[in-house]
Amino acid sequence: MMKSIFIFLFLVVGIFGELKAQDDEEYYKPPTKRLDVRNNAYPNLNRKEMSLYMGIEGGFKLNYASLDNSINGLVSIQNNNVFAWGVSLGYNYDNKWAVETGYLNNPIFLIQSIATRRRLTTYQIGRNFTTIPLRYKYKVWTLDAITKTAGLYVGGGVLFNTNVKDRLINELTFTGYDYRFSAAGRDSVKLELTSKSFLTKKLSAVFELQTELQGRVANGFYISVFGRMAFAPNAGIRSDLVYTENSNKIGEATQSLNGISYNFGLSLRFDLARGYKYQSKVE
């Protein structure tokens, strides 16, 4: 996975350099043909740029889980880092605010480890969700006040996971035998650990906050680095574990997905259509 990410970043840097060189050529065009100059024909009007855009994004998603009992070291958990990607369609007003929707390939997992006598068995529990985001973002800081090609955005939204319902998604049973000696002789004890994992409707809608640093590479092409925090109810994915000796329960535990997750990545935005709105400066 890391090799693929490095290749992706290398390609992005190459595209950035090539398009930046093209963007510099705008300086040498006549003002009537340049797309980056302000309105000169109507000096009493402010020109506001509007655009319909498409974006692609990818990055790491960090999911965390909690465990209320290790059952004498039989059960343990790990933090789960996965790769998520998506495409978006949005509307941008004068590079001040934007609304967007799209599609996210959104994996949500927790990792569970079971210690047997021979080895540690580790596996993922969860689903690769089909997610529809609805987001709004607003520019709070212009980093380049002269050309206005870079800015810091903050925003929020809701993520709708379309393939969520209450159901059993995973069931595993680990069985072993122990031999105990007493005055009556040797007894065989059957040991069994059962893990049943459930998906709940708590993950149907997830709220999100985001920060995005966006820069213009060329007219109609932008690159952003983003950080997001998603909030969902705890136990959207839950695993119930029961440990028995000869069918008698001697221990139990619950592992649950935490409600907060994090997403960090890179986004590319391409303007599909652009237009302008003129407003009077005296209004």
Side-chain angles (χ1 to χ4, degrees), residues 9 11 16 18 20-21 25-26 29 36 38 42 51 117 138 140 154 162 182 223 234 250 254 261 271 281-282:
L9 292 176
L11 292 175
F16 181 93
E18 180 178 352
K20 186 62 179 175
E25 296 176 1
E26 288 288 314
K29 292 182 180 180
D36 58 341
R38 302 297 297 175
Y42 305 99
S51 65
R117 287 187 174 181
Y138 183 82
V140 295
V154 297
T162 61
S182 64
I223 293 181
N234 290 331
I250 61 173
T254 299
S261 62
D271 285 347
K281 291 182 179 181
V282 298

Side-chain angles (χ1 to χ4, degrees), residues 9-27 35-36 49 95 144 147-151 153 212-225 266-271 274:
L9 292 176
F10 178 78
L11 292 175
V12 169
V13 172
I15 294 172
F16 181 93
E18 180 178 352
L19 291 181
K20 186 62 179 175
Q22 295 175 3
D23 187 44
D24 291 339
E25 296 176 1
E26 288 288 314
Y27 178 80
L35 299 176
D36 58 341
E49 179 181 335
N95 285 324
D144 187 347
T147 60
K148 299 183 179 180
T149 58
Y153 291 76
E212 179 178 324
L213 181 61
Q214 183 183 99
R216 180 171 68 87
V217 182
N219 287 314
F221 178 41
Y222 299 79
I223 293 181
S224 301
V225 178
L266 187 69
S267 174
L268 307 180
R269 171 188 141 193
F270 307 87
D271 285 347
R274 301 170 66 184

Side-chain angles (χ1 to χ4, degrees), residues 60-126:
F60 288 103
K61 192 169 188 295
L62 313 179
N63 296 315
Y64 300 97
S66 60
L67 180 67
D68 64 359
N69 184 11
S70 67
I71 314 180
N72 296 324
L74 284 176
V75 186
S76 59
I77 60 175
Q78 302 176 23
N79 294 331
N80 188 24
N81 304 330
V82 294
F83 185 79
W85 61 272
V87 295
S88 60
L89 183 67
Y91 170 80
N92 181 279
Y93 180 78
D94 205 35
N95 285 324
K96 291 184 177 180
W97 58 265
V99 291
E100 65 182 30
T101 185
Y103 162 82
L104 292 178
N105 183 56
N106 185 21
I108 301 178
F109 294 95
L110 56 82
I111 295 180
Q112 189 172 94
S113 298
I114 305 297
T116 64
R117 287 187 174 181
R118 295 183 178 181
R119 61 191 177 92
L120 185 68
T121 302
T122 301
Y123 51 94
Q124 288 184 328
I125 300 171

Side-chain angles (χ1 to χ4, degrees), residues 198-203 232-238 254-259:
F198 302 87
L199 174 66
T200 74
K201 289 184 178 180
K202 293 180 178 182
L203 288 179
N234 290 331
I237 298 174
R238 186 189 80 251
T254 299
Q255 182 179 357
S256 299
L257 185 73
N258 288 351

Side-chain angles (χ1 to χ4, degrees), residues 131-145:
T131 301
I132 298 175
L134 292 177
R135 294 184 175 125
Y136 172 83
K137 50 190 176 183
Y138 183 82
K139 185 166 67 173
V140 295
W141 187 25
T142 300
L143 302 182
D144 187 347

